């Protein structure tokens, strides 16, 4: 399986949050992880950046932000030029789908945890 550097947007150090579970599972499956969240923090050696950080080589962006909280990051996400953006449950956003497709970025409406556990990531 090819490693896919993944940006987790909406990262959290709270174990009950799905973004936390995604970071842990991505690591377990050998994918390099970068993260951004509401506050700067650290999770198992992964620095959670506050706000839009200049990450390089991001293959996949996985969203754990509701559509209202995604809006300020539209240009940022497009600027990263990932191959795809995964919209986890509760993050669905038709406006952003359109922007991404116009920029040749694949849109996946799925659950990162399920994708990983079923070898579809």
């Amino acid at each position: 399986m090819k490693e896919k550097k993944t940006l987790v947007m909406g990262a959290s150090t709270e174990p009950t949050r799905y973004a936390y579970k995604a970071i842990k599972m991505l690591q377990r499956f050998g994918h390099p992880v970068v993260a951004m969240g509401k506050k700067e923090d650290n999770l198992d050696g992964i620095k959670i950046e506050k706000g839009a950080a200049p990450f390089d080589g991001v293959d996949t962006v996985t969203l754990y932000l509701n559509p209202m909280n995604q809006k300020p990051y539209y240009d940022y996400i497009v600027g990263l030029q990932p191959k795809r953006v995964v919209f986890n449950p509760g993050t669905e956003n038709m406006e952003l789908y359109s922007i991404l497709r116009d920029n040749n970025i694949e849109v996946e409406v799925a659950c990162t945890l399920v994708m990983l556990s079923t070898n579809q990531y």
Side-chain angles (χ1 to χ4, degrees):
M1 173 178 49
K2 180 182 174 262
E3 288 182 358
K4 295 177 180 158
K5 184 174 183 179
T6 302
L7 168 58
V8 177
M9 292 186 72
S12 172
T13 57
E14 173 55 49
T16 61
R17 307 289 299 186
Y18 285 107
Y20 172 96
K21 294 174 186 193
I23 290 170
K24 301 293 268 179
M25 189 177 267
L26 284 160
Q27 286 182 304
R28 197 165 56 249
F29 277 77
H31 297 287
V33 179
V34 291
M36 60 176 284
K38 285 183 184 176
K39 61 181 178 157
E40 223 172 82
D41 214 328
N42 192 294
L43 177 60
D44 293 342
I46 295 171
K47 184 175 183 198
I48 299 174
E49 301 284 350
K50 181 179 179 190
F55 297 116
D56 291 329
V58 173
D59 176 89
T60 301
V61 174
T62 185
L63 293 174
Y64 290 93
L65 298 172
N66 71 44
M68 293 284 288
N69 291 329
Q70 294 168 20
K71 205 167 190 71
Y73 296 107
Y74 288 2
D75 290 339
Y76 171 72
I77 294 168
V78 170
L80 291 172
Q81 282 299 294
K83 290 188 175 106
R84 66 180 173 169
V85 175
V86 178
F87 289 83
N88 288 279
T91 67
E92 300 86 351
N93 182 343
M94 297 297 285
E95 182 179 40
L96 185 51
Y97 298 168
S98 178
I99 292 167
L100 295 170
R101 289 182 178 131
D102 287 348
N103 284 277
N104 299 311
I105 299 169
E106 182 183 335
V107 170
E108 293 224 30
V109 181
C111 174
T112 297
L113 300 174
V114 171
M115 291 171 73
L116 286 163
S117 65
T118 59
N119 290 322
Q120 296 178 14
Y121 195 77

